[in-house]
Amino acid sequence: MAKIEKTPTGEFHSGYGCIIMTAVVAVVAFIVWWSWYSLVTMDKEIGLLTQPTPVTIPAISPPPGLEQRLADFAKAANAGQTAALTLTVAELNALLLLAPDGGNGTYKDMLRVKSLDAAKRLIVTDASLPMNTAKFWQDTKRYLVGEIDFALEMTALGPDAKVSAVRIPGKTVPEGMLKGMQMYGYLGPYQAHPTIGPVLKAIKQVRIETEGLRLSTEP
């Protein structure tokens, strides 16, 4: 039997490989440059909006009876029973005392709920948020001080709170920065918490009303 030999029908030039490698290197170089440019640009914008020191946020005084109401709601929620709980502005602030440290401090040092906007379904807060610098390895902070509105949304793991608007006196927050802040869920870190997580998951409805924030285990 005759031996079958494969013979290329087209010409191949060694320059093709160089062109491909050059293109790959160019793409990688662009990605590195764009990442550096974005980091530096965003770092400069954040620097214009922040201040080097935080502001002192008013102390929180837990309303009487709140601890028992929370315990009763958590017990019913964990047991799969129907339960509802309405929290006032003062009680929402008291909940900040229970929030564990997420790595940059606790929410009790960063936020204070000042009002509830039932019409727009927003939680309005005073904020003093710590933000990293581009030199993150130095662990230096600057602080965004102003008002932040939070919108609530339901997820598979329960309710979450995301930034809706940011207001800093005398300054305009760039749209890109706002979109970046809107990607982060402020209740996300606690959805996996061994104690808080199961209660959040049992909540099926969250509604902002005139008298407070209503939580319910019923859809």
Side-chain angles (χ1 to χ4, degrees):
M1 178 180 293
K3 183 178 180 180
I4 300 176
E5 295 184 0
K6 296 183 178 179
T7 303
T9 58
E11 295 184 358
F12 177 79
H13 194 284
S14 60
Y16 293 166
C18 293
I19 293 173
I20 294 173
M21 289 303 299
T22 301
V24 171
V25 171
V27 170
V28 172
F30 174 78
I31 292 174
V32 171
W33 172 82
W34 180 252
S35 298
W36 174 84
Y37 175 78
S38 299
L39 177 62
V40 171
T41 301
M42 185 60 70
D43 182 71
K44 185 181 296 184
E45 290 182 346
I46 293 174
L48 295 173
L49 297 172
T50 55
Q51 58 187 56
T53 56
V55 297
T56 301
I57 296 181
I60 297 173
S61 298
L66 176 60
E67 185 175 351
Q68 186 60 52
R69 292 176 61 220
L70 291 173
D72 292 342
F73 179 79
K75 181 178 179 180
N78 288 329
Q81 300 173 355
T82 299
L85 179 66
T86 298
L87 299 169
T88 64
V89 168
E91 290 172 335
L92 287 173
N93 282 322
L95 287 183
L96 297 176
L97 295 174
L98 305 177
D101 191 331
N104 285 316
T106 63
Y107 288 164
K108 69 181 177 63
D109 299 321
M110 305 178 195
L111 300 169
R112 282 296 179 275
V113 178
K114 58 189 301 183
S115 63
L116 299 173
D117 191 328
K120 296 181 179 179
R121 295 183 293 182
L122 295 174
I123 299 175
V124 183
T125 71
D126 285 325
S128 179
L129 294 184
M131 307 189 80
N132 291 325
T133 65
K135 298 179 180 180
F136 57 87
W137 58 88
Q138 295 181 349
D139 195 29
T140 54
K141 302 290 183 186
R142 55 229 171 140
Y143 297 84
L144 187 155
V145 177
E147 285 186 344
I148 297 182
D149 295 344
F150 289 94
L152 295 173
E153 63 177 40
M154 294 301 302
T155 72
L157 297 177
D160 203 352
K162 292 190 175 183
V163 172
S164 175
V166 178
R167 292 177 295 277
I168 302 174
K171 300 178 181 180
T172 300
V173 179
E175 184 177 354
M177 180 179 170
L178 178 59
K179 287 184 177 180
M181 295 180 68
Q182 290 173 334
M183 296 174 62
Y184 177 76
Y186 274 67
L187 294 182
Y190 310 119
Q191 291 176 338
H193 190 274
T195 302
I196 302 174
V199 179
L200 289 176
K201 191 172 183 179
I203 297 172
K204 303 302 181 185
Q205 183 185 126
V206 180
R207 190 166 64 244
I208 296 176
E209 301 176 339
T210 304
E211 60 272 20
L213 176 68
R214 186 178 188 277
L215 310 174
S216 175
T217 58
E218 289 188 308

